[in-house]
Amino acid sequence: MREIKFRAWDEEDKRMYCDDKVIVTFSGFLEEVYVRRNSTVDELIDYKLMQYSGIKDIEGKEIYEGDIVEFLDEEVNYSHCGVEYDEFINIGKVIFSHDELMGWDITNRNMDLEEVWHYREYIKVIGNIYENPELLEGK
């Protein structure tokens, strides 16, 4: 069973709070998010909540939605000589897909959860969309 964890981006303070600082309560479709700050617990009003995928990258870092990852990818080229594979480093962001099969997806590649799990030893978290949006420029 996958471990359920969250992190939260505080839009007001422009700060990321990781799992051990985040308290999430759910009541039906409503959620409330609180963070531990020093000796207080404060409610976040303007925030983005991100869930842990249950997968770690090549360096053992937990992969959350909103993470920017780089990974070894390949392009298939068909020619009169047969099939050739060109490898390159791709960059995408991790999203939670609400399509027919809910699961994790990496933009620029459309990897489903099974593929992300299979290729996790080639995936490296290099940032996230809130603290490092420049990593996606031109992608």
Side-chain angles (χ1 to χ4, degrees):
M1 186 152 107
R2 176 169 73 80
E3 188 176 12
I4 305 298
K5 295 174 155 185
F6 295 94
R7 70 179 182 195
W9 173 253
D10 184 345
E11 291 281 5
E12 186 177 322
D13 291 340
K14 304 294 185 212
R15 180 175 175 191
M16 186 71 73
Y17 290 96
C18 295
D19 177 59
D20 62 334
K21 301 281 186 205
V22 178
I23 303 166
V24 182
T25 63
F26 294 98
S27 175
F29 290 105
L30 300 175
E31 66 188 28
E32 291 180 337
V33 176
Y34 300 87
V35 293
R36 291 183 186 97
R37 296 181 184 155
N38 300 322
S39 61
T40 65
V41 175
D42 302 313
E43 183 177 6
L44 291 183
I45 303 301
D46 190 10
Y47 63 90
K48 301 294 183 194
L49 192 62
M50 294 156 277
Q51 190 175 162
Y52 172 47
S53 68
I55 300 171
K56 295 182 180 179
D57 74 357
I58 190 170
E59 296 180 347
K61 187 171 183 181
E62 296 173 338
I63 301 174
Y64 282 81
E65 29 178 345
D67 277 341
I68 299 171
V69 295
E70 68 178 17
F71 53 97
L72 185 62
D73 205 348
E74 62 186 15
E75 186 173 72
V76 180
N77 297 307
Y78 300 95
S79 68
H80 63 282
C81 297
V83 179
E84 296 177 1
Y85 298 92
D86 293 327
E87 291 184 340
F88 62 98
I89 299 296
N90 200 346
I91 295 177
K93 67 181 174 181
V94 178
I95 60 172
F96 187 76
S97 175
H98 296 278
D99 293 337
E100 298 171 16
L101 297 172
M102 292 177 68
W104 301 94
D105 199 7
I106 296 178
T107 59
N108 297 347
R109 182 63 166 82
N110 296 325
M111 285 186 182
D112 61 19
L113 182 60
E114 185 177 332
E115 251 187 310
V116 173
W117 175 260
H118 181 73
Y119 291 104
R120 69 190 180 282
E121 64 267 11
Y122 302 106
I123 297 172
K124 179 180 178 186
V125 174
I126 59 172
N128 65 67
I129 60 174
Y130 300 103
E131 295 172 306
N132 317 99
E134 70 281 357
L135 295 174
L136 289 175
E137 289 177 8
K139 296 289 173 193

